[in-house]
Amino acid sequence: MNAADKLALSHVELLTLRAAQHGWRATPLRRRLAVMRTLRREIASAATDLAATVPSNLPGALHRSLAETLIAEVLPLAEACRFLEKEAPRLLATIRESTRARPLWLTRVTVETRRLPLGIVLIIAPANYPLLLPGVQVLQALAAGNAVLWKPAPGTSAPAHALRAMLVSSGLDPDLLRILPETPNAAQNAIKAGVDKVFLTGSATTGTAVLGQLAQTITPAVME
């Protein structure tokens, strides 16, 4: 398969993601959060197995024991599910803005802030917290009604696939979350094919390169 074929395949995958996302965004929030609630229980029942998927000997990774991974990545991820279960209804609710402190000619104008899904979110993950950092971003994006592409750091696909399998067994449509190959080209091709927002946790060099590509389509991004 040549580079053009890979890009065409990415377009097909994104079309499938977009079709799934249109249905997901119309799903009531309580049903989306039910997936998070079930996932939290899945994580609790298989915490050690999930922690074991996180590599501890990669360059740039933090060398942790299994117990340290449980504390640093798995338990906080379960807590992120609990946070969304409790707080997402408030955070995603439509807000009627106050009419106080407005100019006279705007006193009868009503303004609402609505939290609408973006569409497809690309998450470019780091090696040091390969489960927790992208995992929380994945959960937040899904809870808000988006579909997700997850590009793991080199050598960290195992926890990504493990969490995806847990989400699917918790009721998530498999087409809403795709795990990309670990290579930088995978993220570049996804951006070329068209995503709606990018989250990157990584080096300044990587961030500069990604921002340069995103500038061509004015695609918003969050960089850490």
Side-chain angles (χ1 to χ4, degrees):
M1 183 180 291
N2 59 35
D5 290 335
K6 289 181 180 178
L7 185 56
L9 178 62
S10 182
H11 276 293
V12 171
E13 291 176 342
L14 285 175
L15 286 174
T16 302
L17 274 167
R18 289 204 182 279
Q21 191 269 332
H22 286 319
W24 183 240
R25 69 177 293 163
T27 301
L29 178 59
R30 66 180 183 277
R31 288 178 56 190
R32 300 202 298 261
L33 294 180
V35 174
M36 305 299 157
R37 185 175 303 108
T38 304
L39 175 65
R40 175 166 55 85
R41 294 166 182 163
E42 289 262 348
I43 292 173
S45 64
T48 302
D49 292 338
L50 183 57
T53 67
V54 178
S56 60
N57 58 352
L58 293 175
L62 300 177
H63 300 282
R64 306 188 192 96
S65 67
L66 185 64
E68 288 170 331
T69 299
L70 277 166
I71 295 171
E73 298 213 51
V74 176
L75 295 181
L77 188 62
E79 183 57 28
C81 294
R82 187 189 302 275
F83 175 85
L84 289 171
E85 293 168 42
K86 181 180 178 181
E87 300 295 341
R90 176 182 61 84
L91 294 173
L92 297 175
T94 297
I95 300 173
R96 176 70 64 89
E97 302 295 343
S98 173
T99 58
R100 297 179 59 188
R102 286 190 185 179
L104 180 63
W105 61 88
L106 294 178
T107 53
R108 295 193 178 186
V109 175
T110 59
V111 178
E112 288 184 343
T113 299
R114 298 183 181 182
R115 310 294 186 184
L116 301 178
L118 294 165
I120 297 177
V121 174
L122 170 63
I123 295 172
I124 304 174
N128 58 346
Y129 283 85
L131 175 64
L132 176 63
L133 293 182
V136 170
Q137 293 169 343
V138 166
L139 298 181
Q140 292 172 341
L142 291 172
N146 299 288
V148 179
L149 290 168
W150 180 348
K151 205 291 286 183
T156 66
S157 287
H161 284 288
L163 183 59
R164 180 183 183 275
M166 283 186 166
L167 276 161
V168 171
S169 69
S170 299
L172 184 74
D173 181 345
D175 288 332
L176 287 168
L177 174 58
R178 295 293 184 91
I179 310 300
L180 296 175
E182 298 174 354
T183 63
N185 285 342
Q188 293 167 4
N189 287 345
I191 293 171
K192 287 178 184 177
V195 296
D196 301 298
K197 192 162 187 173
V198 175
F199 288 82
L200 181 145
T201 306
S203 68
T205 300
T206 302
T208 300
V210 171
L211 283 173
Q213 187 179 2
L214 294 175
Q216 300 173 36
T217 53
I218 319 179
T219 302
V222 175
M223 301 277 161
E224 179 182 351

